[in-house]
Amino acid sequence: DGGITQSPKYLFRKEGQNVTLSCEQNLNHDAMYWYRQDPGQGLRLIYYSQIVNDFQKGDIAEGYSVSREKKESFPLTVTSAQKNPTAFYLCASSSLSNPTDTQYFGPGTRLTVL
Amino acid sequence: RKEVEQDPGPFNVPEGATVAFNCTYSNSASQSFFWYRQDCRKEPKLLMSVYSSGNEDGRFTAQLNRASQYISLLIRDSKLSDSATYLCVVKSRTGGFKTIFGAGTRLFVKA
């Protein structure tokens, strides 16, 4: 069935290591997004992409990188330059054809830096 | 001022109570409005869209007041399973579509 998948569900990383979070969707959505959520806080936009091979920085892009080589996939790399990477990472996608279309989320990846 | 503001709560209510959440937005060009629900340690899920005429889905009623730039969510006959964080979401047309998520209001329904 259609939806958004993220893997892994839990991820542990040592300080100084880069790590890549996977996000795949089969909803044929044009736009994809990455958010970060810290405990008790709201969502903060890291990066978004509205078309293949193009993406834009969100509010907190420093220390992160993305790619959009395929419409279905939007992986996020958390680099060693990200000072406080421990957080819940959520990927979302949406259609762009209608202003009433909204975003749908994957189940998230919980990243812990040891 | 935040673009979308919500009372963070928490709201603690007994089962069967009626509870209302309000949300204000600052961009008068906002076009679409939604309420999401987020359970603890889970992803946000769309609860309902909010239309100008107001809309109802079972025990849930959403209202939009464009003049005052606020939206509301009313939950009647609260259930224990309604305990969650409720996110107000506003979509604006500013150089493409921009979606802003409120920080959420926590609801605890007690037996």
Side-chain angles (χ1 to χ4, degrees):
Chain A
D1 52 330
I4 305 173
T5 57
Q6 291 185 244
S7 62
K9 189 171 182 179
Y10 298 97
L11 187 57
F12 297 89
R13 186 196 96 175
K14 292 182 180 178
E15 276 194 47
Q17 289 180 336
N18 291 356
V19 62
T20 297
L21 282 56
S22 167
C23 177
E24 305 275 333
Q25 55 98 0
N26 61 4
L27 300 168
N28 199 33
H29 284 167
D30 294 301
M32 297 186 74
Y33 312 81
W34 274 105
Y35 294 90
R36 169 182 173 140
Q37 189 174 38
D38 293 283
Q41 304 297 314
L43 301 175
R44 290 189 289 169
L45 183 64
I46 304 172
Y47 269 99
Y48 66 98
S49 167
Q50 295 183 319
I51 194 170
V52 173
N53 292 322
D54 187 51
F55 45 83
Q56 307 296 327
K57 291 182 179 180
D59 302 316
I60 56 163
E62 186 175 348
Y64 300 99
S65 65
V66 293
S67 63
R68 187 90 186 272
E69 297 177 3
K70 299 185 301 181
K71 187 175 183 178
E72 304 80 17
S73 178
F74 191 41
L76 173 75
T77 296
V78 184
T79 75
S80 55
Q82 170 47 236
K83 301 299 180 193
N84 298 296
T86 294
F88 187 38
Y89 290 88
L90 288 157
C91 179
S93 70
S94 72
S95 168
L96 291 176
S97 58
N98 192 323
T100 60
D101 289 335
T102 188
Q103 295 181 21
Y104 296 89
F105 287 86
T109 292
R110 205 164 289 277
L111 174 64
T112 302
V113 175
L114 305 171
Chain B
R1 183 186 171 188
K2 291 182 182 176
E3 292 187 70
V4 176
E5 294 203 64
Q6 297 182 249
D7 182 341
F11 284 50
N12 293 287
V13 302
E15 271 188 296
T18 296
V19 61
F21 305 134
N22 289 325
C23 166
T24 58
Y25 60 94
S26 59
N27 186 348
S28 59
S30 297
Q31 291 192 305
S32 306
F33 309 88
F34 310 90
W35 284 102
Y36 280 67
R37 169 195 171 122
Q38 185 174 23
D39 292 295
C40 189
R41 301 177 70 83
K42 298 283 190 180
E43 76 273 24
K45 292 184 178 178
L46 178 66
L47 180 64
M48 58 198 304
S49 302
V50 187
Y51 304 118
S52 296
S53 55
N55 47 302
E56 188 174 308
D57 182 2
R59 298 182 292 109
F60 298 84
T61 300
Q63 298 276 358
L64 166 65
N65 184 319
R66 285 190 183 271
S68 301
Q69 294 182 202
Y70 81 80
I71 68 174
S72 63
L73 177 68
L74 184 77
I75 305 175
R76 292 180 298 279
D77 188 23
S78 299
K79 311 292 184 191
L80 294 175
S81 57
D82 293 333
S83 297
T85 297
Y86 291 84
L87 308 177
C88 169
V89 180
V90 175
K91 193 171 177 180
S92 306
R93 189 162 202 165
T94 49
F97 291 111
K98 182 181 179 183
T99 301
I100 305 294
F101 287 80
T105 299
R106 292 202 73 180
L107 172 66
F108 293 103
V109 181
K110 306 167 296 185

